[in-house]
Amino acid sequence: MARTRAQIARKHSTGASAVPEAPPVDRQRSNGSLVLIAAAVASLFLFWYFHLLTLGQMTQLSGGLAMPDMMIGGYDAGYVDRLRDAMDDDARGQLSYLHRTAGTLFPLIFAFTWLLLVQLNAGRRWLRWLLWSPVILFVVVDLWENIAIDALLADAAPDAGAVVLASTLTVLRWVLLALSLAAGAASVFLPRTLRAAGGRGAGPGPKSR
């Protein structure tokens, strides 16, 4: 018996609907992973460019003295006086320009990368915020440190409080960067039962009909 057009259309539509589609959650996770990889590459490049390349080259304008940003253990007023005497206005202006460009882009892109990393791997809300907290603090402290160092070098006679503030921000910045790296590693390597929401695995559970 010949089939009607309606029967043929129903047959084809049924066959098309039988083709499995990738779950939306899986597609979103795949897209997030691609963004994460690109952001991680950008973060690594900016870290190298700002800390290892440009700040390293700035020692040529400071008589071999390291920039305050690289003084992981902090510094005192004597170091600041020596650095200010060794750097002229152009050198201080160049350091300030670096702070406004690469010194601003690095913490922002790094924070975006690490927040996304935790988002993709930690399903529990309380764990997410716990692992996000050092990253968020790192951005605030890093940007504040840039301003504090520029103000310190621009002032002909900074007071002791300004030196202590800038030095503390520098030390805290490196500590928070290390904690942020540890938080990112924890979001990946902690047991899945701890990371997943509701104690389930990372993947979505079966839907009830």
Side-chain angles (χ1 to χ4, degrees), residues 17-18 205-209:
S17 63
K207 295 180 180 179
S208 59
R209 294 180 179 272

Side-chain angles (χ1 to χ4, degrees), residues 15-41:
S17 63
V19 178
E21 295 184 356
V25 174
D26 289 345
R27 287 199 299 267
Q28 292 174 2
R29 186 174 183 83
S30 177
N31 293 337
S33 298
L34 293 176
V35 174
L36 177 62
I37 292 172
V41 171

